[in-house]
Amino acid sequence: MKAILMISSLIVFTATSLISQPKPALHSGPNCHNVNAAKSVDGGKSYKQIAKNVLKSASVPDAVHFRGKDFIYYVNGSGGYNKHSIFVSQLRNGGKSSKLIGPVKIDGKIIKDAVDPDLILMPNGKLRLFYYVGYFTSPMQNSKRNKIYSAISTDGINFKSEGAMVALDDPTDPSVTKIPNGNYLLAVPQGKKQKITIYSSSTGYNFKKIKTIKGGIPELSIGSNGQVQLLYQDKDLILKESTNGGKSWKTKSKKLVSGAPPGSNSPSVLLTSDKNRIMYYAWGKKGCTTSPTEFLKDKNAFIGNGSNNSAMGEPPLGHGVKPKDKKKN
């Protein structure tokens, strides 16, 4: 996350002068994505697709086991501006289907510009949500150095923000896991640079950079051999493995999922036993495009002076919105 990069939930447009109608998106938004499931019975070395359309009009899935049930968090793409935010559904039928619960709240509010959820169960039984916040519902003016944030929850729906975890240019789609030595690893991709930056922390809060590799939207997990696994998108979904806590990586598979459609991306792994696990991943519906105003609150935000139905200006690529950092208790 390189052949084609499906930047989950980001809506990417051409730079244009005034035109009679807005051009279609070069890469479609979450309204054009569905989520499939694949199963591994060999500790994550290979997967076979087992279900299509576990979620529809949804992207950037992340599954987690919490309070005896399995849940999947994602960016909702159905309903335009009114429903653009992080949603959660409960997984059913062995992970092959889902039932909608609804949008999550951060500090009591539905944050429409919060996207790319990744969750981890903490030792105290609480859920920690890592996410990115950007300009998706209003026009972007300038690209800025941005941050990955976290929030904590006791019920999986209502979260309390904890502030920024890391800051870097062009970040999206965080992934975090706890490794056998007790440390936490955080992987953050930079879409424009086609890079993944790996961070380490002994507490899950204060992360330090340890490695940068080439790749797309990542997913960190632990293999049945106890080693750290890193999945990400290239032409197909790729698997790398680290034997030294994320400091170096070796490619183990270049075609990880059998039966997955081309362009599958944003993998998330749910461990169901030592050997068995289910991967959820997004894919773009063929021929689907995203309007430049699909998720904008103001549908006239790109209208030029003296023109009819004309689009101009910078598109809402998700840069620059910075929630107020809060001190951790």
Side-chain angles (χ1 to χ4, degrees):
M1 306 176 87
K2 169 109 234 159
I4 299 175
L5 173 65
M6 297 287 291
I7 305 178
S8 319
S9 88
L10 299 188
I11 307 171
V12 184
F13 308 96
T14 55
T16 66
S17 58
L18 293 180
I19 50 178
S20 59
Q21 294 290 336
K23 288 187 177 182
L26 293 179
H27 300 278
S28 58
N31 61 302
C32 288
H33 291 184
N34 288 342
V35 173
N36 289 359
K39 186 174 182 178
S40 173
V41 295
D42 58 8
K45 296 178 182 178
S46 63
Y47 290 81
K48 183 177 180 180
Q49 183 168 286
I50 59 170
K52 294 182 178 180
N53 304 332
V54 177
L55 297 169
K56 294 183 178 181
S57 295
S59 196
V60 204
D62 193 70
V64 64
H65 187 76
F66 179 59
R67 292 188 171 182
K69 299 178 180 180
D70 294 328
F71 299 92
I72 187 165
Y73 293 76
Y74 53 96
V75 178
N76 181 59
S78 176
Y81 165 78
N82 290 327
K83 294 185 178 181
H84 183 275
S85 65
I86 296 172
F87 272 52
V88 59
S89 292
Q90 184 179 340
L91 290 166
R92 295 187 165 190
N93 188 28
K96 296 179 182 179
S97 62
S98 64
K99 181 180 179 180
L100 175 66
I101 294 175
V104 305
K105 293 183 178 181
I106 301 174
D107 294 335
K109 299 179 181 179
I110 297 172
I111 310 299
K112 295 183 181 296
D113 287 319
V115 295
D116 302 351
D118 192 89
L119 294 101
I120 186 170
L121 183 64
M122 301 301 291
N124 60 8
K126 296 180 180 181
L127 272 185
R128 173 162 288 130
L129 166 68
F130 288 77
Y131 60 103
Y132 166 67
V133 181
Y135 278 130
F136 297 97
T137 62
S138 59
M140 177 189 70
Q141 299 301 320
N142 295 293
S143 178
K144 298 179 180 179
R145 185 172 177 83
N146 218 314
K147 300 176 181 178
I148 298 298
Y149 296 88
S150 74
I152 201 79
S153 175
T154 58
D155 63 7
I157 300 174
N158 299 284
F159 290 82
K160 181 180 179 181
S161 61
E162 299 177 301
M165 296 292 104
V166 298
L168 70 168
D169 295 330
D170 189 32
T172 64
D173 305 86
S175 178
V176 65
T177 194
K178 190 175 184 179
I179 62 179
N181 69 5
N183 286 346
Y184 294 83
L185 290 187
L186 171 65
V188 181
Q190 293 171 276
K192 293 179 181 178
K193 297 180 179 180
Q194 301 293 291
K195 295 195 307 183
I196 301 172
T197 301
I198 310 293
Y199 299 86
S200 179
S201 169
S202 60
T203 63
Y205 284 103
N206 301 310
F207 287 91
K208 295 183 179 180
K209 177 181 174 180
I210 60 171
K211 184 69 175 178
T212 298
I213 64 174
K214 183 179 179 181
I217 297 175
E219 167 71 355
L220 291 167
S221 63
I222 306 299
S224 58
N225 59 1
Q227 304 301 337
V228 186
Q229 294 183 336
L230 175 66
L231 292 69
Y232 64 91
Q233 180 204 1
D234 200 288
K235 183 178 180 181
D236 293 294
L237 291 173
I238 306 295
L239 172 65
K240 288 183 180 289
E241 191 172 270
S242 174
T243 60
N244 58 7
K247 296 178 182 178
S248 63
W249 299 86
K250 183 178 180 180
T251 300
K252 306 298 288 187
S253 174
K254 291 186 177 181
K255 189 173 178 61
L256 187 61
V257 183
S258 173
S264 296
N265 64 95
S266 303
S268 170
V269 175
L270 177 66
L271 276 65
T272 56
S273 71
D274 182 48
K275 290 289 186 179
N276 297 344
R277 56 207 63 205
I278 298 177
M279 181 201 300
Y280 296 93
Y281 52 93
W283 60 280
K285 293 178 281 188
K286 186 176 180 180
C288 184
T289 59
T290 303
S291 166
T293 61
E294 178 76 19
F295 302 108
L296 291 184
K297 180 178 181 180
D298 179 7
K299 299 300 181 182
N300 294 319
F302 290 150
I303 301 300
N305 293 330
S307 60
N308 294 321
N309 297 321
S310 297
M312 65 178 299
E314 294 288 341
L317 297 186
H319 294 280
V321 175
K322 299 182 178 182
K324 184 179 180 180
D325 293 349
K326 294 187 176 181
K327 293 182 179 180
K328 296 174 284 292
N329 296 325

